[in-house]
Amino acid sequence: MKRWLSTAYVVVVLGFGLASLWPNLSVRFAPVELKASPTAASASVPPALKPGPALPEVDKVSLNTASQAELESLPGIGPALAQRIIEGRPYRSIDELDRIKGVGSKLLERLRPLVTL
């Protein structure tokens, strides 16, 4: 009988403690304001809040002047490929990267927005 009472006492104390903490544990959301015209709303949204993949704003890497470390910072470019790109200089167009061994059409399309001449 004593054991049941002590267990009941613990449950009641924990229940009251949880009840007093519950308002602080709930998530409160800020009110959302909806605009009437979706086209007008999308025009005023900053680029950082627009849907789509998050791409960092970075300076383009110059194929003709970049160091090996700068070329290696590009996605899909390792030390050997960076060295082959340097040896193939000068470039007159970005499409000329296709002649470098190890640069295929997929890698070229991935690099196109990241490089310049």
Side-chain angles (χ1 to χ4, degrees):
M1 176 95 169
K2 279 187 170 186
R3 189 173 227 180
W4 182 85
L5 285 176
S6 63
T7 305
Y9 177 76
V10 169
V11 169
V12 169
V13 169
L14 289 175
F16 281 129
L18 184 60
S20 66
L21 291 175
W22 189 257
N24 296 331
L25 296 176
S26 62
V27 178
R28 296 182 186 162
F29 295 101
V32 177
E33 206 175 293
L34 298 177
K35 301 204 180 206
S37 171
T39 56
S42 65
S44 65
V45 175
L49 299 178
K50 289 188 178 178
L55 299 175
E57 297 290 328
V58 294
D59 292 334
K60 291 186 173 188
V61 175
S62 172
L63 292 175
N64 289 323
T65 61
S67 67
Q68 182 163 351
E70 289 172 322
L71 290 171
E72 288 178 25
S73 71
L74 295 169
I77 305 289
L81 189 53
Q83 185 61 40
R84 287 195 295 262
I85 291 172
I86 290 171
E87 290 169 359
R89 288 177 179 168
Y91 298 101
R92 286 173 287 187
S93 75
I94 296 173
D95 292 326
E96 290 182 16
L97 272 181
D98 198 6
R99 71 175 190 229
I100 303 295
K101 180 183 175 190
V103 178
S105 60
K106 287 183 181 180
L107 181 58
L108 182 60
E109 289 307 312
R110 203 168 29 159
L111 293 176
R112 192 175 299 279
L114 305 173
V115 296
T116 188
L117 298 177

